[in-house]
Amino acid sequence: MRISFSSLATSNNPFEWVYELEESGFSGWEIVGEGRQRLTEEMRKKIQEVQEATNLEFTAHLPFSDLNLASLNQGIWDETIRQMSRAIRSVGGLTDLVVVHPGHLSPLGAELPDKAWKQNITGIQKLCDIAKEYDIMVCVENMPDIGFLFGKFPEELTGMVENVNRENVGIALDIGHANLVDKLDAFLKLNAEHVHLHDNLGKKDDHLPLGRGMIDWKAVMKELKDHKGRFVVEARTLEEGEESLGYLRRL
């Protein structure tokens, strides 16, 4: 299996631990485009240095804080596209896949959900068109059980991808999020290009190490035995990531 590590601690310097990933047993790093992992030209140079010194594969998670692909405030939507597009360009040639969160309903969007949905689709289409220039696939991630978020349910996510109607759009299956909406079995039947791994107790998005929550990982990995893409352990620290990796190896 190709197993990458993704750190949720975006306020910490990733270059204090990224060179330890291979020794820890990971084959890649999924960069979260937030905080000190923000995808800039300066970050690009540092990633290139890591590439030259290691055999790690790279994927990227586009920024999401304060951004909204479904915003009906045109200025906010334009800024969302600008920041996400810049992030895609900054990793062009360094990766073949980026992950994006779908949009969400603002107070105005809640009054006009159909318009917000169309705005979300248009936004993902624009990102796909930019990513195509760099041979990058855009994978849309399923969301946790929070009412105003798009993409919480399997049929909703597949409908989103179908409406985007781009060759380079796909699904990033987040196992922890799927468990929170009690739709894990249905999500596992989707043909996801990318998979995020973390555990929870079924109540909130805890991002626990694998085995500390309620998810039946043996059944999950059996269902995903034919997955050809990457698995990404999402963890708060490298130590918790190593704990999850060890758990996977013992299954």
Side-chain angles (χ1 to χ4, degrees):
M1 291 190 299
R2 300 155 69 193
I3 305 179
S4 296
F5 172 77
S6 180
S7 174
L8 304 175
T10 56
S11 61
N12 297 334
N13 182 4
F15 298 101
E16 293 178 352
W17 48 257
V18 68
Y19 289 97
E20 301 175 29
L21 289 181
E22 283 185 298
E23 185 177 344
S24 296
F26 292 103
S27 62
W29 174 27
E30 180 152 297
I31 305 151
V32 182
E34 297 275 333
R36 297 184 73 177
Q37 297 183 50
R38 192 164 65 93
L39 297 167
T40 62
E41 283 304 311
E42 181 182 357
M43 173 64 85
R44 177 184 176 87
K45 293 175 183 177
K46 292 183 177 180
I47 296 169
Q48 288 174 318
E49 291 173 2
V50 177
Q51 282 188 324
E52 292 169 1
T54 71
N55 293 311
L56 293 171
E57 295 182 313
F58 292 84
T59 52
H61 197 306
L62 299 184
F64 49 86
S65 292
D66 304 316
L67 302 177
N68 184 9
L69 284 168
S71 179
L72 296 180
N73 179 322
Q74 194 62 37
I76 297 297
W77 188 85
D78 289 343
E79 180 62 18
T80 298
I81 297 299
R82 188 187 72 82
Q83 290 197 27
M84 290 185 176
S85 299
R86 182 179 63 188
I88 291 171
R89 292 188 176 98
S90 72
V91 294
L94 302 180
T95 185
D96 60 359
L97 186 147
V98 298
V99 176
V100 66
H101 284 181
H104 57 271
L105 294 173
S106 64
L108 177 59
E111 294 185 23
L112 302 167
D114 290 344
K115 285 189 176 181
W117 174 265
K118 290 178 182 177
Q119 191 82 321
N120 179 63
I121 298 300
T122 301
I124 299 172
Q125 287 173 332
K126 284 185 175 293
L127 297 179
C128 287
D129 293 343
I130 292 164
K132 186 178 180 180
E133 299 173 19
Y134 303 94
D135 294 321
I136 291 175
M137 172 168 278
V138 177
C139 287
V140 186
E141 182 178 349
N142 60 298
M143 293 288 96
D145 190 16
I146 299 175
F148 58 85
L149 299 179
F150 281 140
K152 297 188 297 293
F153 303 107
E155 61 276 9
E156 182 187 11
L157 193 66
T158 54
M160 193 181 300
V161 169
E162 288 170 4
N163 276 272
V164 169
N165 192 28
R166 294 292 190 271
E167 292 181 359
N168 64 328
V169 69
I171 290 173
L173 170 57
D174 188 297
I175 300 298
H177 293 172
N179 186 61
L180 289 173
V181 296
D182 199 25
K183 294 288 184 179
L184 182 52
D185 289 345
F187 268 113
L188 287 169
K189 291 178 170 56
L190 303 184
N191 184 26
E193 284 76 14
H194 197 63
V195 179
H196 286 169
L197 306 175
H198 56 94
D199 214 335
N200 60 61
L201 297 169
K203 300 295 183 182
K204 61 180 181 177
D205 198 16
D206 302 297
H207 277 267
L208 298 174
L210 274 59
R212 288 207 212 171
M214 61 175 288
I215 295 174
D216 183 347
W217 289 103
K218 188 172 184 179
V220 167
M221 298 313 291
K222 181 179 180 181
E223 194 69 30
L224 294 174
K225 66 183 185 301
D226 296 324
H227 177 65
K228 304 301 182 186
R230 302 173 184 89
F231 293 92
V232 180
V233 170
E234 291 190 321
R236 294 168 291 195
T237 65
L238 179 55
E239 291 72 23
E240 289 192 352
E242 291 170 338
E243 180 182 335
S244 290
L245 186 60
Y247 183 89
L248 281 174
R249 287 175 170 170
R250 292 190 299 271
L251 287 178

